[in-house]
Amino acid sequence: MAARPQRLSMVGWYDPQVLARSALLVTVANLFGRHSDSRLIEALANQPQREFPFEVAEGDFWFDYVSDIGDGWNPTFAIARGIAAQELTVASADGQTHATRGGELLIFGGDQVYPYPSKEAYEKRAEAPYATAFAQAHRHPQVFSIPGNHDWYDSLVAFSRIFCRPERGFADCPTRQTRSYFALSLPHDWWLFALDLQLGADLDEPQVRYFQDAIARMPPEAHVILCVPDPQWIYEASYPDYASYEDTVLKFFEQRILARKVSLFLTGDLHHYKRHQNADGVQKIVSGGGGAFLHPTQAPDTRSLRGGFEERACYPQKQASSRLTWRNLLLPLWNPKYMWIPATLYVISAWLASASLDADEIGTLSTALQAAINGAIRDPLNGLWLVAFVSAFVFFTDTHVRWYRFLGGIAHAITHLAAAFGVGWLGIVATTRWLGLTFGDIPQMLLSGLITFVGGGVAGAFVLGAYLFISLRVFGRHSNEAFSSLRIEDFKQWLRLRIDASGALSVFAIGIDRVPRDWSDGNQPQDERATAPHLIETFTMAPQGGGRYRVSGLDQHGRRY
């Protein structure tokens, strides 16, 4: 009997160890990754790679797309079981059932592991769930993958070992690519190009030449699916300072290298489902629900994007996503380890403030506060701490407006400082008045520090949760920080795609509202509250010539169009 795989919980993004290591890896990757491009080394070290052809003798050609996997076992394995199923029937909002089929091709769209890449993390968080699911289904499709930002945090070392070594394979499934990018020639003149953009960098020269060679062999009437690691069309709507499509590598690739319109954009990075469509029927899809924590769909406002793209669907629906933001008010419950951080910061702040107090100045909160402010002005160490404290929160503030960054960051920092002072003053009062200890003696300071540490951990976590709640609900900001703290396992999804004999491309967006929390030793779901995979929406792109498509389908509400 095979050993039971380790069922890891969702990543605790607010755990001090995870925060510290993630910050270090992000800094190193951004400082050095751009100057030691492993894509160039990979291209030199490997055999030449051409496009990979896929043919179908008759009938339909099916394949799956999933992104942002490799977090907790429950959501990752739930999605993997759905993908592994050879035949999967899903119900739509109108109660009708739709039969889908697992194909011979599975594409991972980026961020295959969290919180940071390593051989062990890939094996436990990404490979084990899929190996188990495919073994149960007795199905092993060919796997292709592009890296996301989390895959790049070790300069692509672990990713290349897992996905770019065909002799190894992934989850007992064959892999064929030898580079972090690839081109697929699909039936009926559909081509799929998957780019590796490193950490937002430009295309490297070997990658440009690779796609130019593939495009030279592509027929003039071909239709292109473009897979990219992040939704630049969403980010430019969220942050006006973000490089817009007009200035990005996507426009360079589409106009200068491809020299034709892209029919369908596929990406992940944002952990939800959103689809935009323009008047020509061109689609831009964010499908990042493969297992990582959920991202909100209600913010930012993406109803209309540049180029005439209008939002046609999102999952979860915005009302449900908005309700989930209330969980931020209970942030300490979801992130108990995080309380060590505000506890430490509050103790230091209270310690520095109390150092400027005399015994006769602690009688009331107002007199103690006035004395602490005077001490902060006179004491350089105290003043420097306050400047550093406030600066950190200004830097943390998520906005593109400079004045709001300062005002929001300062308000957030002052709230924490006020809470730290209040908890510290309460610790002094409790030890001097209620317990009768002498102010400034070692027992009094130690016990007061302990009270501040415990109270500060709880208070600081609640303050952060309230800040994230207000930021997201009122200003539409901090969507990543607000929802990563919630570690939501549910509302996961992937795409199942079909090319039929007429050359039309159909997309089935499949979601799971609640993933199982309990599994048997045979890895079967034991959670009665779990829901089966269902159809979010489906649509078909029928080529009309000239880069235009007739789009028909079934929307999220069960209405045909």
Side-chain angles (χ1 to χ4, degrees), residues 455-472:
V458 176
F462 274 116
V463 169
L464 177 62
Y467 168 79
L468 294 176
F469 172 79
I470 295 171
S471 295
L472 187 55

mmCIF file with all atom_site columns, all heavy atoms in Angstrom, residues 455-472:
data_model
loop_
_atom_site.group_PDB
_atom_site.id
_atom_site.type_symbol
_atom_site.label_atom_id
_atom_site.label_alt_id
_atom_site.label_comp_id
_atom_site.label_asym_id
_atom_site.label_entity_id
_atom_site.label_seq_id
_atom_site.pdbx_PDB_ins_code
_atom_site.Cartn_x
_atom_site.Cartn_y
_atom_site.Cartn_z
_atom_site.occupancy
_atom_site.B_iso_or_equiv
_atom_site.pdbx_formal_charge
_atom_site.auth_seq_id
_atom_site.auth_comp_id
_atom_site.auth_asym_id
_atom_site.auth_atom_id
_atom_site.pdbx_PDB_model_num
ATOM 1   N N   . GLY A 1 455 ? -1.495  41.479 25.639 1.00 0.00 ? 455 GLY A N   1
ATOM 2   C CA  . GLY A 1 455 ? -2.541  42.387 25.172 1.00 0.00 ? 455 GLY A CA  1
ATOM 3   C C   . GLY A 1 455 ? -2.207  43.022 23.848 1.00 0.00 ? 455 GLY A C   1
ATOM 4   O O   . GLY A 1 455 ? -3.087  43.232 22.996 1.00 0.00 ? 455 GLY A O   1
ATOM 5   N N   . GLY A 1 456 ? -0.930  43.339 23.633 1.00 0.00 ? 456 GLY A N   1
ATOM 6   C CA  . GLY A 1 456 ? -0.524  43.950 22.375 1.00 0.00 ? 456 GLY A CA  1
ATOM 7   C C   . GLY A 1 456 ? -0.658  43.011 21.201 1.00 0.00 ? 456 GLY A C   1
ATOM 8   O O   . GLY A 1 456 ? -1.006  43.445 20.091 1.00 0.00 ? 456 GLY A O   1
ATOM 9   N N   . GLY A 1 457 ? -0.382  41.717 21.417 1.00 0.00 ? 457 GLY A N   1
ATOM 10  C CA  . GLY A 1 457 ? -0.541  40.750 20.331 1.00 0.00 ? 457 GLY A CA  1
ATOM 11  C C   . GLY A 1 457 ? -1.977  40.693 19.840 1.00 0.00 ? 457 GLY A C   1
ATOM 12  O O   . GLY A 1 457 ? -2.244  40.711 18.627 1.00 0.00 ? 457 GLY A O   1
ATOM 13  N N   . VAL A 1 458 ? -2.907  40.636 20.786 1.00 0.00 ? 458 VAL A N   1
ATOM 14  C CA  . VAL A 1 458 ? -4.322  40.575 20.424 1.00 0.00 ? 458 VAL A CA  1
ATOM 15  C C   . VAL A 1 458 ? -4.783  41.900 19.814 1.00 0.00 ? 458 VAL A C   1
ATOM 16  O O   . VAL A 1 458 ? -5.416  41.936 18.749 1.00 0.00 ? 458 VAL A O   1
ATOM 17  C CB  . VAL A 1 458 ? -5.178  40.213 21.651 1.00 0.00 ? 458 VAL A CB  1
ATOM 18  C CG1 . VAL A 1 458 ? -6.658  40.236 21.297 1.00 0.00 ? 458 VAL A CG1 1
ATOM 19  C CG2 . VAL A 1 458 ? -4.773  38.850 22.207 1.00 0.00 ? 458 VAL A CG2 1
ATOM 20  N N   . ALA A 1 459 ? -4.463  43.009 20.487 1.00 0.00 ? 459 ALA A N   1
ATOM 21  C CA  . ALA A 1 459 ? -4.915  44.317 20.016 1.00 0.00 ? 459 ALA A CA  1
ATOM 22  C C   . ALA A 1 459 ? -4.330  44.651 18.644 1.00 0.00 ? 459 ALA A C   1
ATOM 23  O O   . ALA A 1 459 ? -5.038  45.154 17.754 1.00 0.00 ? 459 ALA A O   1
ATOM 24  C CB  . ALA A 1 459 ? -4.539  45.397 21.024 1.00 0.00 ? 459 ALA A CB  1
ATOM 25  N N   . GLY A 1 460 ? -3.047  44.381 18.456 1.00 0.00 ? 460 GLY A N   1
ATOM 26  C CA  . GLY A 1 460 ? -2.407  44.699 17.188 1.00 0.00 ? 460 GLY A CA  1
ATOM 27  C C   . GLY A 1 460 ? -2.986  43.913 16.026 1.00 0.00 ? 460 GLY A C   1
ATOM 28  O O   . GLY A 1 460 ? -3.143  44.442 14.920 1.00 0.00 ? 460 GLY A O   1
ATOM 29  N N   . ALA A 1 461 ? -3.321  42.643 16.288 1.00 0.00 ? 461 ALA A N   1
ATOM 30  C CA  . ALA A 1 461 ? -3.915  41.835 15.223 1.00 0.00 ? 461 ALA A CA  1
ATOM 31  C C   . ALA A 1 461 ? -5.303  42.346 14.866 1.00 0.00 ? 461 ALA A C   1
ATOM 32  O O   . ALA A 1 461 ? -5.686  42.384 13.690 1.00 0.00 ? 461 ALA A O   1
ATOM 33  C CB  . ALA A 1 461 ? -3.979  40.371 15.661 1.00 0.00 ? 461 ALA A CB  1
ATOM 34  N N   . PHE A 1 462 ? -6.074  42.747 15.867 1.00 0.00 ? 462 PHE A N   1
ATOM 35  C CA  . PHE A 1 462 ? -7.406  43.295 15.589 1.00 0.00 ? 462 PHE A CA  1
ATOM 36  C C   . PHE A 1 462 ? -7.312  44.619 14.837 1.00 0.00 ? 462 PHE A C   1
ATOM 37  O O   . PHE A 1 462 ? -8.122  44.891 13.934 1.00 0.00 ? 462 PHE A O   1
ATOM 38  C CB  . PHE A 1 462 ? -8.193  43.480 16.892 1.00 0.00 ? 462 PHE A CB  1
ATOM 39  C CG  . PHE A 1 462 ? -8.912  42.239 17.330 1.00 0.00 ? 462 PHE A CG  1
ATOM 40  C CD1 . PHE A 1 462 ? -8.570  41.605 18.515 1.00 0.00 ? 462 PHE A CD1 1
ATOM 41  C CD2 . PHE A 1 462 ? -9.937  41.703 16.565 1.00 0.00 ? 462 PHE A CD2 1
ATOM 42  C CE1 . PHE A 1 462 ? -9.230  40.446 18.917 1.00 0.00 ? 462 PHE A CE1 1
ATOM 43  C CE2 . PHE A 1 462 ? -10.606 40.554 16.962 1.00 0.00 ? 462 PHE A CE2 1
ATOM 44  C CZ  . PHE A 1 462 ? -10.250 39.923 18.143 1.00 0.00 ? 462 PHE A CZ  1
ATOM 45  N N   . VAL A 1 463 ? -6.347  45.452 15.188 1.00 0.00 ? 463 VAL A N   1
ATOM 46  C CA  . VAL A 1 463 ? -6.179  46.733 14.488 1.00 0.00 ? 463 VAL A CA  1
ATOM 47  C C   . VAL A 1 463 ? -5.849  46.496 13.022 1.00 0.00 ? 463 VAL A C   1
ATOM 48  O O   . VAL A 1 463 ? -6.411  47.146 12.127 1.00 0.00 ? 463 VAL A O   1
ATOM 49  C CB  . VAL A 1 463 ? -5.090  47.586 15.164 1.00 0.00 ? 463 VAL A CB  1
ATOM 50  C CG1 . VAL A 1 463 ? -4.720  48.786 14.293 1.00 0.00 ? 463 VAL A CG1 1
ATOM 51  C CG2 . VAL A 1 463 ? -5.560  48.067 16.528 1.00 0.00 ? 463 VAL A CG2 1
ATOM 52  N N   . LEU A 1 464 ? -4.936  45.564 12.756 1.00 0.00 ? 464 LEU A N   1
ATOM 53  C CA  . LEU A 1 464 ? -4.590  45.264 11.362 1.00 0.00 ? 464 LEU A CA  1
ATOM 54  C C   . LEU A 1 464 ? -5.807  44.732 10.614 1.00 0.00 ? 464 LEU A C   1
ATOM 55  O O   . LEU A 1 464 ? -6.063  45.119 9.465  1.00 0.00 ? 464 LEU A O   1
ATOM 56  C CB  . LEU A 1 464 ? -3.455  44.244 11.305 1.00 0.00 ? 464 LEU A CB  1
ATOM 57  C CG  . LEU A 1 464 ? -3.066  43.796 9.890  1.00 0.00 ? 464 LEU A CG  1
ATOM 58  C CD1 . LEU A 1 464 ? -2.550  44.967 9.066  1.00 0.00 ? 464 LEU A CD1 1
ATOM 59  C CD2 . LEU A 1 464 ? -2.022  42.673 9.940  1.00 0.00 ? 464 LEU A CD2 1
ATOM 60  N N   . GLY A 1 465 ? -6.564  43.836 11.246 1.00 0.00 ? 465 GLY A N   1
ATOM 61  C CA  . GLY A 1 465 ? -7.748  43.302 10.592 1.00 0.00 ? 465 GLY A CA  1
ATOM 62  C C   . GLY A 1 465 ? -8.757  44.388 10.256 1.00 0.00 ? 465 GLY A C   1
ATOM 63  O O   . GLY A 1 465 ? -9.339  44.393 9.161  1.00 0.00 ? 465 GLY A O   1
ATOM 64  N N   . ALA A 1 466 ? -8.966  45.323 11.188 1.00 0.00 ? 466 ALA A N   1
ATOM 65  C CA  . ALA A 1 466 ? -9.896  46.424 10.933 1.00 0.00 ? 466 ALA A CA  1
ATOM 66  C C   . ALA A 1 466 ? -9.380  47.315 9.807  1.00 0.00 ? 466 ALA A C   1
ATOM 67  O O   . ALA A 1 466 ? -10.155 47.783 8.955  1.00 0.00 ? 466 ALA A O   1
ATOM 68  C CB  . ALA A 1 466 ? -10.101 47.235 12.208 1.00 0.00 ? 466 ALA A CB  1
ATOM 69  N N   . TYR A 1 467 ? -8.071  47.572 9.785  1.00 0.00 ? 467 TYR A N   1
ATOM 70  C CA  . TYR A 1 467 ? -7.479  48.389 8.717  1.00 0.00 ? 467 TYR A CA  1
ATOM 71  C C   . TYR A 1 467 ? -7.683  47.733 7.353  1.00 0.00 ? 467 TYR A C   1
ATOM 72  O O   . TYR A 1 467 ? -8.067  48.401 6.379  1.00 0.00 ? 467 TYR A O   1
ATOM 73  C CB  . TYR A 1 467 ? -5.992  48.587 8.985  1.00 0.00 ? 467 TYR A CB  1
ATOM 74  C CG  . TYR A 1 467 ? -5.236  49.160 7.812  1.00 0.00 ? 467 TYR A CG  1
ATOM 75  C CD1 . TYR A 1 467 ? -5.282  50.513 7.515  1.00 0.00 ? 467 TYR A CD1 1
ATOM 76  C CD2 . TYR A 1 467 ? -4.474  48.324 6.986  1.00 0.00 ? 467 TYR A CD2 1
ATOM 77  C CE1 . TYR A 1 467 ? -4.601  51.033 6.420  1.00 0.00 ? 467 TYR A CE1 1
ATOM 78  C CE2 . TYR A 1 467 ? -3.791  48.839 5.890  1.00 0.00 ? 467 TYR A CE2 1
ATOM 79  C CZ  . TYR A 1 467 ? -3.857  50.190 5.612  1.00 0.00 ? 467 TYR A CZ  1
ATOM 80  O OH  . TYR A 1 467 ? -3.191  50.694 4.524  1.00 0.00 ? 467 TYR A OH  1
ATOM 81  N N   . LEU A 1 468 ? -7.422  46.414 7.261  1.00 0.00 ? 468 LEU A N   1
ATOM 82  C CA  . LEU A 1 468 ? -7.596  45.719 5.989  1.00 0.00 ? 468 LEU A CA  1
ATOM 83  C C   . LEU A 1 468 ? -9.062  45.708 5.566  1.00 0.00 ? 468 LEU A C   1
ATOM 84  O O   . LEU A 1 468 ? -9.375  45.861 4.382  1.00 0.00 ? 468 LEU A O   1
ATOM 85  C CB  . LEU A 1 468 ? -7.070  44.283 6.110  1.00 0.00 ? 468 LEU A CB  1
ATOM 86  C CG  . LEU A 1 468 ? -5.561  44.147 6.327  1.00 0.00 ? 468 LEU A CG  1
ATOM 87  C CD1 . LEU A 1 468 ? -5.175  42.682 6.541  1.00 0.00 ? 468 LEU A CD1 1
ATOM 88  C CD2 . LEU A 1 468 ? -4.779  44.725 5.147  1.00 0.00 ? 468 LEU A CD2 1
ATOM 89  N N   . PHE A 1 469 ? -9.951  45.529 6.527  1.00 0.00 ? 469 PHE A N   1
ATOM 90  C CA  . PHE A 1 469 ? -11.388 45.538 6.224  1.00 0.00 ? 469 PHE A CA  1
ATOM 91  C C   . PHE A 1 469 ? -11.808 46.885 5.635  1.00 0.00 ? 469 PHE A C   1
ATOM 92  O O   . PHE A 1 469 ? -12.474 46.943 4.595  1.00 0.00 ? 469 PHE A O   1
ATOM 93  C CB  . PHE A 1 469 ? -12.180 45.234 7.498  1.00 0.00 ? 469 PHE A CB  1
ATOM 94  C CG  . PHE A 1 469 ? -13.661 45.398 7.348  1.00 0.00 ? 469 PHE A CG  1
ATOM 95  C CD1 . PHE A 1 469 ? -14.422 44.402 6.735  1.00 0.00 ? 469 PHE A CD1 1
ATOM 96  C CD2 . PHE A 1 469 ? -14.307 46.542 7.794  1.00 0.00 ? 469 PHE A CD2 1
ATOM 97  C CE1 . PHE A 1 469 ? -15.797 44.549 6.594  1.00 0.00 ? 469 PHE A CE1 1
ATOM 98  C CE2 . PHE A 1 469 ? -15.678 46.696 7.657  1.00 0.00 ? 469 PHE A CE2 1
ATOM 99  C CZ  . PHE A 1 469 ? -16.422 45.696 7.047  1.00 0.00 ? 469 PHE A CZ  1
ATOM 100 N N   . ILE A 1 470 ? -11.421 47.967 6.296  1.00 0.00 ? 470 ILE A N   1
ATOM 101 C CA  . ILE A 1 470 ? -11.790 49.304 5.813  1.00 0.00 ? 470 ILE A CA  1
ATOM 102 C C   . ILE A 1 470 ? -11.133 49.590 4.471  1.00 0.00 ? 470 ILE A C   1
ATOM 103 O O   . ILE A 1 470 ? -11.765 50.128 3.549  1.00 0.00 ? 470 ILE A O   1
ATOM 104 C CB  . ILE A 1 470 ? -11.397 50.366 6.853  1.00 0.00 ? 470 ILE A CB  1
ATOM 105 C CG1 . ILE A 1 470 ? -12.218 50.183 8.138  1.00 0.00 ? 470 ILE A CG1 1
ATOM 106 C CG2 . ILE A 1 470 ? -11.586 51.772 6.302  1.00 0.00 ? 470 ILE A CG2 1
ATOM 107 C CD1 . ILE A 1 470 ? -11.764 51.042 9.296  1.00 0.00 ? 470 ILE A CD1 1
ATOM 108 N N   . SER A 1 471 ? -9.875  49.225 4.324  1.00 0.00 ? 471 SER A N   1
ATOM 109 C CA  . SER A 1 471 ? -9.155  49.490 3.069  1.00 0.00 ? 471 SER A CA  1
ATOM 110 C C   . SER A 1 471 ? -9.840  48.821 1.889  1.00 0.00 ? 471 SER A C   1
ATOM 111 O O   . SER A 1 471 ? -9.989  49.418 0.811  1.00 0.00 ? 471 SER A O   1
ATOM 112 C CB  . SER A 1 471 ? -7.711  49.006 3.178  1.00 0.00 ? 471 SER A CB  1
ATOM 113 O OG  . SER A 1 471 ? -7.001  49.748 4.140  1.00 0.00 ? 471 SER A OG  1
ATOM 114 N N   . LEU A 1 472 ? -10.255 47.569 2.089  1.00 0.00 ? 472 LEU A N   1
ATOM 115 C CA  . LEU A 1 472 ? -10.859 46.833 0.980  1.00 0.00 ? 472 LEU A CA  1
ATOM 116 C C   . LEU A 1 472 ? -12.299 47.244 0.739  1.00 0.00 ? 472 LEU A C   1
ATOM 117 O O   . LEU A 1 472 ? -12.715 47.460 -0.403 1.00 0.00 ? 472 LEU A O   1
ATOM 118 C CB  . LEU A 1 472 ? -10.780 45.327 1.262  1.00 0.00 ? 472 LEU A CB  1
ATOM 119 C CG  . LEU A 1 472 ? -11.218 44.403 0.125  1.00 0.00 ? 472 LEU A CG  1
ATOM 120 C CD1 . LEU A 1 472 ? -10.445 44.695 -1.151 1.00 0.00 ? 472 LEU A CD1 1
ATOM 121 C CD2 . LEU A 1 472 ? -11.032 42.940 0.521  1.00 0.00 ? 472 LEU A CD2 1
#
